[in-house]
Structure formats: structure tokens, C-alpha cells
């Protein structure tokens, strides 16, 4: 698991929690927050599935 996948999991999980809170616990969900949480979930999914680091991007700690 590389760092982009880990970031994507964190972003998608936290935004999913915020989205769920807005949908299930707020009597009048705010459209702006629903859209913003959804965008961050999509960014997290892109990081998980499409962005990967290559070997030359990794820092060489032994030199």
C-alpha cells in the first residue's frame, strides 16, 4: 500500500462519515456540504484506484 492509497482511504472515509452525518442526522441537509463531501469522496477514490507512486519518486533513505 503506497502513500496515495492511504491518503485516498483517509479522505474517502472521513468524507463518507461527514456525508452520512449530513444525510441521516441533520433534519435539513445542506446541499453545499453534500456536494463538497461527495467531491472529496471522488478525489479519495481517484487516489485509491488511479494514482500510484513509482520507484523513482520514493526517497532513498540509505544513501
Amino acid at each position: 500500500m503506497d502513500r496515495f492509497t492511504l491518503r485516498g482511504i483517509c479522505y474517502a472515509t472521513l468524507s463518507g462519515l461527514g456525508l452520512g452525518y449530513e444525510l441521516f442526522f441533520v433534519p435539513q441537509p445542506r446541499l453545499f456540504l453534500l456536494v463538497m463531501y461527495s467531491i472529496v469522496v471522488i478525489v479519495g477514490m481517484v487516489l485509491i484506484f488511479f494514482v500510484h507512486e513509482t520507484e523513482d519518486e520514493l526517497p532513498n533513505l540509505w544513501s
Side-chain angles (χ1 to χ4, degrees):
M1 183 179 324
D2 62 356
R3 61 183 174 189
F4 292 112
T5 304
L6 185 61
R7 287 178 187 166
I9 290 170
C10 291
Y11 294 162
T13 302
L14 292 174
S15 295
L17 289 172
L19 189 63
Y21 175 77
E22 279 294 316
L23 288 174
F24 296 118
F25 296 112
V26 175
Q28 195 97 22
R30 294 163 286 197
L31 181 61
F32 178 76
L33 287 178
L34 294 177
V35 170
M36 289 298 121
Y37 283 136
S38 299
I39 289 172
V40 176
V41 167
I42 292 169
V43 168
M45 292 298 176
V46 167
L47 285 173
I48 292 169
F49 295 114
F50 296 112
V51 180
H52 300 287
E53 59 188 16
T54 59
E55 286 297 320
D56 54 342
E57 290 177 2
L58 297 174
N60 187 0
L61 299 176
W62 302 108
S63 62

